[in-house]
Amino acid sequence: DAGVIQSPRHEVTEMGQEVTLRCKPISGHNSLFWYRQTMMRGLELLIYFNNNVPIDDSGMPEDRFSAKMPNASFSTLKIQPSEPRDSAVYFCASSLGRRGDEQFFGPGTRLTVL
Amino acid sequence: QKEVEQNSGPLSVPEGAIASLNCTYSDRVSQSFFWYRQYSGKSPELIMSIYSNGDKEDGRFTAQLNKASQYVSLLIRDSQPSDSATYLCAVNSGGSNYKLTFGKGTLLTVNP
């Protein structure tokens, strides 16, 4: 079975540009999570969806970040405008959506904002 | 602010030894606990989950949970160089069915 799929794997952009990260969760999983990982702050939850509905976006750093999940098999995380401090690895994870369920991570997108 | 604390390491053990990784958490109502392994440049990989007090064994890995002490640990027996990685402890946030809080991880190095 395919795991969580993310694209692109690497993104290099210039400050001020729009960045869109994409995620396809594991088929049948009802919950989807976007994380950001940096050396300084570790792995931080940005937002999570359950049944395509955003449940908690308290981790989204500011209005420049937005996320959507138009259907059960696709989600996007958009940053506009991007800033150098957004440089990080962004992971998408999915789970079955039940209490205590295990989350499975995608390979991540390494974002560099120059 | 719910917190998950881990020793950052690095923890260095010789091949064949037991590696012991520790994690404490602040939220008393947490019910689900996970250990992830992350190789450099890769994504976190789930290796153990534990929900009840006591020990849970899976191959060379044993997870231990003590909810009264708010403590969870991971033991790796017969450590191999391939176990060298960062180990992340994750705890579900109290009141939330789905949300996990991660520790910053412990870097383990197994020396041949």
Side-chain angles (χ1 to χ4, degrees):
Chain A
D1 288 339
V4 176
I5 299 172
Q6 291 187 246
S7 66
R9 297 292 304 275
H10 301 274
E11 177 80 27
V12 180
T13 190
E14 293 188 346
M15 182 174 63
Q17 296 298 304
E18 176 180 302
V19 175
T20 299
L21 310 181
R22 298 173 176 80
C23 175
K24 177 179 170 57
I26 294 171
S27 178
H29 281 193
N30 295 326
S31 290
L32 182 140
F33 308 81
W34 282 101
Y35 290 90
R36 177 172 67 177
Q37 188 174 41
T38 62
M39 289 293 292
M40 288 294 294
R41 300 176 66 89
L43 194 60
E44 302 174 284
L45 178 66
L46 300 177
I47 185 170
Y48 77 91
F49 296 83
N50 188 47
N51 291 323
N52 312 336
V53 176
I55 302 299
D56 185 345
D57 65 355
S58 60
M60 296 285 263
E62 50 196 274
D63 291 345
R64 298 185 297 107
F65 286 69
S66 62
K68 295 182 179 180
M69 191 166 186
N71 57 61
S73 59
F74 184 66
S75 177
T76 60
L77 177 68
K78 184 178 294 186
I79 308 172
Q80 183 182 14
S82 58
E83 296 184 1
R85 60 192 167 120
D86 302 331
S87 297
V89 181
Y90 291 81
F91 290 106
C92 176
S94 71
S95 76
L96 284 169
R98 300 172 309 198
R99 181 185 293 273
D101 255 349
E102 301 162 337
Q103 295 181 19
F104 297 90
F105 282 72
T109 296
R110 182 172 294 277
L111 173 65
T112 303
V113 183
L114 303 174
Chain B
Q1 179 76 12
K2 308 297 189 291
E3 293 185 351
V4 177
E5 300 287 342
Q6 296 181 252
N7 290 329
S8 61
L11 174 65
S12 183
V13 300
E15 184 174 355
I18 296 175
S20 178
L21 305 162
N22 304 315
C23 173
T24 59
Y25 59 95
S26 63
D27 191 342
R28 286 193 164 275
V29 301
S30 295
Q31 296 294 321
S32 307
F33 307 86
F34 306 91
W35 283 99
Y36 286 80
R37 178 176 62 198
Q38 187 174 24
Y39 292 114
S40 179
K42 301 296 185 181
S43 60
E45 173 193 9
L46 180 68
I47 55 173
M48 289 287 284
S49 57
I50 187 167
Y51 305 96
S52 303
N53 279 330
D55 295 359
K56 179 181 178 182
E57 186 174 318
D58 184 0
R60 295 186 297 110
F61 298 97
T62 298
Q64 300 175 316
L65 175 62
N66 184 326
K67 290 185 180 179
S69 300
Q70 296 176 239
Y71 176 91
V72 59
S73 65
L74 179 71
L75 300 178
I76 306 174
R77 291 182 300 280
D78 189 23
S79 296
Q80 301 297 309
S82 59
D83 296 326
S84 298
T86 295
Y87 289 81
L88 301 169
C89 173
V91 177
N92 87 296
S93 299
S96 167
N97 290 345
Y98 318 112
K99 192 172 177 177
L100 293 182
T101 300
F102 283 80
K104 291 193 174 180
T106 298
L107 176 61
L108 172 67
T109 300
V110 181
N111 301 304

